[in-house]
Amino acid sequence: MAGVWWRDGVVYQVYPRSFSDANGDGIGDLAGLTARLGHIAGLGCDALWLTPFQTSPQRDHGYDVSDYRGVDPIFGDLADFDALLARAHELGLRVIIDIVPNHCSSDHPIFQKALAGDESARERFHFSATPNNWPSVFGGSAWEPVGDGTWYLHLYAPSQPDWNWRDPRTAPFFDEVIRFWFDRGVDGLRVDVAHGLYKAPGLPSLPDGVTPEPGRLRGNPLVCDQPETPGVFRRWREIADGYDPPRVLIGEVNLEPGRAARFVGPDRLHQAFAFGFLVAPWSAGAWRAAGEQVLRHPPVTWVVENHDVVRTPTRYGSEARARAALLVVLGLPGAAYVYQGQEYGLPEVDVPEEARQDPAWERSGMSRDGCRVPLPWSGGFSAGPGCESAESGPPWLPVPEGWDRYLESPTLPLCRDAIALRRLLQAEGVLSADDPVVWSVDGDDRLTARRPGFALVVAMGAGPVAVPDGEVLISSGPLAPDGRLPADTAAWVREDVR
Ligand code: BGC
């Protein structure tokens, strides 16, 4: 790849519970992941992002950390993590790990001390005798009673108390956490809820009539995007830049791109995720608007799937559209993120209610389990290379009948070919992360994103569209006999030399 790995590369997101199970307990683990790293390298990815594997009671599947420097026993131990890192590096893959600084687990020893009544420990969280009216992102109130006349703040589940970033001990605590992982050799961090952290001073109630959009932190301006928060990342950037090679910080800054841009720069986060395509419907106008808005704030990370949203074949309505969307994210300037299973065109699964595990399900009736179903490896989730046990328990979420048919999905060769071609075009200098993009939409819902010498075109309407003049390098499905691009198909076209 020409360019800088985190800025121009392809990053594969691993949700370790559901990736590959080596010890046969039905839950994916680090050894299972290490044994299958060849799959990720074979796709041509530059890096992987590993969602939380640190010690946790798993009430939000790892986004509730009780020891920031440990590996949860269901995933293995620190030696397994070191082996994973070493093997990934041997294969040329960088490793980004998740870090969760907005909240911890209610099992964290400091929170346990606070619960036991230790005043000094209570100051490290938000305890109050007069809770305000803030809602939790997962539904209900953001305050949980302790039983002694006080409540504590949890913007997510009650098992995820929020750290008080105004307490002088919080920042140094996390400095040590990030150094611990950088010292071990991780290449970067994905920062969970990076727009959260600081809350409005004094924790005032929302004014009457202001009702935050359910399910999203950003709907409540008093709990996110506070002026002090980017300062945390200035501090982290100094630490990251002190390593050789410098480590990288990528933030889940779930704000509109103009606001998120304040968190990014040479002295703060390297990048913030651009979520525009996650919320845009299948419409050329909506994609142009999202794409234009995102590109106003480079460097960009393109993403259409992750562990929190409905998988694209279901969200957009077909596997063909999902394939087209994949070709779009791989064909725009900036980093592209691919979520495990996206390369197989996996759809969202309607997980039976009794099997749902997402803590948001109980509180709000909204479940993210359907995009977290274990991967369909041939031979089974718990039977791959590295599997130590012939016996295996059922997977932690039920896998639908015939799930392994997706191993034959045409999305897989498309994904490999597109990543290989992307690398080639980057190496030839045809594509660069700094390319300007001109977006256009024609009457027949043809979306075009044009870079010098290269057009990305998507047929987003009901019928076929004309392909711009030039050489079709790849398309997400066959062209029509008359050379047009069928509905729900994308193509990369090499236009006249720049
Ligand atoms: C993660 C979610 C998690 C939440 C709370 C997010 O934005 O992506 O999976 O539930 O943070 O940590």
Side-chain angles (χ1 to χ4, degrees), residues 308-366:
D308 289 331
V309 297
V310 173
R311 285 206 183 259
T312 48
T314 309
R315 206 170 77 230
Y316 297 141
S318 69
E319 199 179 331
R321 287 181 177 179
R323 264 198 298 284
L326 180 60
L327 207 53
V328 172
V329 290
L330 292 172
L332 287 168
Y337 278 67
V338 175
Y339 175 48
Q340 67 181 37
Q342 194 179 344
E343 75 276 30
Y344 290 117
L346 294 185
E348 186 79 359
V349 175
D350 186 12
V351 175
E353 287 191 14
E354 63 283 4
R356 292 186 187 167
Q357 308 240 358
D358 183 355
W361 166 247
E362 261 181 33
R363 292 180 67 86
S364 68
M366 165 195 100

Side-chain angles (χ1 to χ4, degrees), residues 13 15 49 60 62-64 98 100 102-103 138 156 160 190 192-193 195 252 254 306-308 358-359 368 372:
Q13 181 191 348
Y15 193 72
W49 152 31
D60 188 18
Y63 285 100
D64 50 324
D98 229 301
V100 187
N102 181 67
H103 45 266
F138 288 168
Y156 292 87
Q160 294 165 297
R190 177 267 189 189
D192 189 56
V193 195
H195 54 310
E252 185 205 23
N254 204 339
N306 66 30
H307 63 294
D308 289 331
D358 183 355
R368 298 166 294 177
R372 299 174 176 181

Side-chain angles (χ1 to χ4, degrees), residues 231-427:
V232 173
F233 305 118
R234 277 198 288 276
R235 188 175 176 123
W236 288 19
R237 183 64 177 261
E238 257 182 45
I239 296 174
D241 283 348
Y243 283 81
D244 183 20
R247 307 309 200 233
V248 171
L249 305 171
I250 298 144
E252 185 205 23
V253 186
N254 204 339
L255 300 171
E256 61 85 17
R259 302 292 306 174
R262 296 184 316 115
F263 287 70
V264 179
D267 64 346
R268 44 198 88 180
L269 298 173
H270 292 72
Q271 274 177 323
F273 282 105
F275 291 128
F277 289 157
L278 286 184
V279 289
W282 186 257
S283 133
W287 279 51
R288 178 185 58 187
E292 279 176 349
Q293 193 191 32
V294 165
L295 273 173
R296 256 177 242 134
H297 306 282
V300 167
T301 59
W302 301 101
V303 50
V304 285
E305 281 199 19
N306 66 30
H307 63 294
D308 289 331
V309 297
V310 173
R311 285 206 183 259
T312 48
T314 309
R315 206 170 77 230
Y316 297 141
S318 69
E319 199 179 331
R321 287 181 177 179
R323 264 198 298 284
L326 180 60
L327 207 53
V328 172
V329 290
L330 292 172
L332 287 168
Y337 278 67
V338 175
Y339 175 48
Q340 67 181 37
Q342 194 179 344
E343 75 276 30
Y344 290 117
L346 294 185
E348 186 79 359
V349 175
D350 186 12
V351 175
E353 287 191 14
E354 63 283 4
R356 292 186 187 167
Q357 308 240 358
D358 183 355
W361 166 247
E362 261 181 33
R363 292 180 67 86
S364 68
M366 165 195 100
S367 157
R368 298 166 294 177
D369 295 305
C371 65
R372 299 174 176 181
V373 171
L375 291 191
W377 299 113
S378 58
F381 175 60
S382 301
C387 182
E388 293 152 8
S389 141
E391 298 288 301
S392 65
W396 72 280
L397 280 176
V399 165
E401 268 303 303
W403 196 225
D404 57 0
R405 71 179 180 282
Y406 288 101
L407 294 171
E408 304 302 319
S409 162
T411 307
L412 183 65
L414 174 76
C415 186
R416 272 200 204 111
D417 292 352
I419 293 175
L421 183 59
R422 171 186 162 103
R423 269 178 190 265
L424 190 73
L425 295 171
Q426 285 172 336

Side-chain angles (χ1 to χ4, degrees), residues 27-108:
I27 301 176
D29 44 43
L30 296 184
L33 168 57
T34 304
R36 292 193 192 272
L37 282 174
H39 170 74
I40 302 172
L43 285 175
C45 297
D46 301 285
L48 63 100
W49 152 31
L50 183 57
T51 64
F53 55 90
Q54 293 92 343
T55 315
S56 156
Q58 301 291 312
R59 296 190 193 106
D60 188 18
H61 303 325
Y63 285 100
D64 50 324
V65 178
S66 56
D67 177 3
Y68 285 88
R69 303 174 197 210
V71 171
D72 195 85
I74 61 168
F75 296 126
D77 57 21
L78 278 171
D80 292 320
F81 181 79
D82 291 340
L84 161 68
L85 201 57
R87 181 69 189 131
H89 286 164
E90 260 169 36
L91 291 170
L93 292 167
R94 308 303 212 293
V95 177
I96 298 168
I97 65 163
D98 229 301
I99 215 83
V100 187
N102 181 67
H103 45 266
C104 60
S105 159
S106 49
D107 287 9
H108 194 285

